[in-house]
Amino acid sequence: MSFCSNCGHDFGNDAPTFCPACGQDVSNSELNAGAGDYNAGDYSGGEYNGDYSWDAPPPSPLARAEELLSKVSAPVLAVAGQAGQAFQSVLDDPRLRSRLPGGSLTLLGLGLVGLGLLLSVIPVVAGIGFLGSVVMVLWGALVAVNEWRILSRPEAQEPGAPALRPLPHSLATLPRDTRHPGIAQTFALLTCTNALLMLGFGPISLVWILAAVVLGYDQGWRYFADNSEDPSALEENPSGFRLHRWVVAGAVLCTFALLLPWGRGSLHTPGLSGAEQPLSTITQFTLLLLACSAVRHRGLSAFHPLLLIIAAVWLALWFFLMMSVYTVGPWFFLPGMLVVEATIVRHLMPRRRGGENLEQEAASDMDMQG
């Protein structure tokens, strides 16, 4: 309802241009003056609340889980960052680099691996087994040749470090495939695998941990600093990149489970841990490989889908073969494995749907052309 500002005549629901009682022109503001009263009356069902705001829908369970994971991982990453800075200050110290051949931390790590293998010859000292030792020796020799080839170049010489002689001709003529940087990076990953599985086996585990830290630092920054992959895939699918947190969380839980008992013991002998189970090295290596690849550039997209399927099948197969319902280790391994498996499946599902869409589009194009 509106009124004339001059004589107070009630216009009702009409909208005249002048007042019929006094002839005064009526403006739009006078006509709209009573609109608020009309809307604020009994028709609205109560008084108008100006502080009312629209409430967003509750987050999904996945969003809540991601938020919880972020809160839990934040202090862990902070502590890991501080520890990493401490190790970095020691490993990057020029006084240490000046005493290494070519200033190479990889050669230092190879020496520590050799020391660990040499100590395992002693009968009372635990080792990684004969087959594992042979693999580490042969693989380490190839890594040493590649590192020697890189550091023998004049531009790669570390200032103040002892210079390396040129690589012998017999070693310089090895096939080009043996020079791939992934050889040294996977060797460092295998060293980290053995170091994790050797935890709790006495002083020799300290040697393996030190070798894993040195090799992991030197080869790790080369691995994560490699920008050869196209980062545009992250912009196309940013939600897929967030999956790496779940892979890392699952791998950490599975690694912890491998240190727990997996076999039933007796009053005199403890049960075997997951690290002592057959083929546990392959399982731990698979977990570390997935975790490291998941946080690098394109995440799991760097792997061929077939390799991801093989990794998922292997983890499930090894778990069911080694599972014992009477021990605590498998019950910690199971949720971590399920997280990794679900992440791989979730990563592969868009690929499958995309491939089906492409096939349907191609078939429709052929029908139109035919």
Side-chain angles (χ1 to χ4, degrees), residues 90-107:
V90 174
L91 297 177
D92 288 339
D93 193 343
R95 293 173 295 180
L96 175 63
R97 295 289 187 118
S98 61
R99 290 177 172 83
L100 300 177
S104 174
L105 291 175
T106 296
L107 295 180

Side-chain angles (χ1 to χ4, degrees), residues 226-245:
D226 184 14
N227 296 323
S228 59
E229 295 181 353
D230 185 13
S232 60
L234 298 180
E235 301 177 357
E236 299 176 358
N237 188 17
S239 60
F241 180 69
R242 295 197 299 267
L243 294 176
H244 74 272
R245 294 179 293 182

Side-chain angles (χ1 to χ4, degrees), residues 40-282:
D42 296 337
Y43 178 78
S44 60
E47 296 182 355
Y48 174 73
N49 185 9
D51 297 334
Y52 176 78
S53 61
W54 178 78
D55 295 333
S60 62
L62 181 59
R64 294 179 180 177
E66 289 184 353
E67 182 180 0
L68 177 61
L69 182 60
S70 300
K71 293 180 180 180
V72 173
S73 60
V76 177
L77 293 178
V79 174
Q82 295 177 358
Q85 292 178 358
F87 281 112
Q88 183 179 3
S89 61
V90 174
L91 297 177
D92 288 339
D93 193 343
R95 293 173 295 180
L96 175 63
R97 295 289 187 118
S98 61
R99 290 177 172 83
L100 300 177
S104 174
L105 291 175
T106 296
L107 295 180
L108 174 62
L110 289 173
L112 292 172
V113 171
L115 177 60
L117 295 176
L118 185 62
L119 292 176
S120 63
V121 177
I122 304 176
V124 295
V125 178
I128 61 175
F130 176 76
L131 182 59
S133 300
V134 171
V135 172
M136 293 297 292
V137 169
L138 297 179
W139 204 335
L142 184 58
V143 173
V145 170
N146 290 336
E147 189 72 10
W148 188 358
R149 179 185 293 107
I150 296 174
L151 296 177
S152 60
R153 302 170 184 172
E155 64 275 8
Q157 294 291 337
E158 187 77 17
L164 292 178
R165 296 179 299 175
L167 196 67
H169 180 71
S170 58
L171 298 178
T173 57
L174 292 177
R176 183 176 297 272
D177 294 338
T178 60
R179 308 176 189 178
H180 195 279
I183 295 176
Q185 295 167 2
T186 51
F187 179 81
L189 195 64
L190 183 58
T191 303
C192 295
T193 299
N194 291 325
L196 290 173
L197 297 180
M198 290 292 292
L199 290 176
F201 282 87
I204 192 175
S205 63
L206 299 177
V207 178
W208 280 100
I209 291 175
L210 187 57
V213 169
V214 174
L215 285 173
Y217 174 76
D218 194 34
Q219 295 297 327
W221 74 264
R222 302 182 190 182
Y223 177 74
F224 291 106
D226 184 14
N227 296 323
S228 59
E229 295 181 353
D230 185 13
S232 60
L234 298 180
E235 301 177 357
E236 299 176 358
N237 188 17
S239 60
F241 180 69
R242 295 197 299 267
L243 294 176
H244 74 272
R245 294 179 293 182
W246 296 106
V247 175
V248 174
V252 170
L253 185 57
C254 290
T255 300
F256 173 73
L258 290 178
L259 303 178
L260 300 176
W262 280 61
R264 301 181 63 180
S266 61
L267 296 177
H268 304 284
T269 58
L272 297 178
S273 65
E276 298 175 283
Q277 299 296 325
L279 303 178
S280 61
T281 303
I282 301 178

Side-chain angles (χ1 to χ4, degrees), residues 260-265 271-272 322-332:
L260 300 176
W262 280 61
R264 301 181 63 180
L272 297 178
M322 303 300 166
M323 181 183 179
S324 175
V325 296
Y326 302 103
T327 54
V328 66
W331 295 110
F332 277 88

Side-chain angles (χ1 to χ4, degrees), residues 16-35:
T17 57
F18 63 93
C19 178
C22 63
Q24 179 70 24
D25 293 337
V26 179
S27 61
N28 293 332
S29 60
E30 295 176 0
L31 293 175
N32 297 330

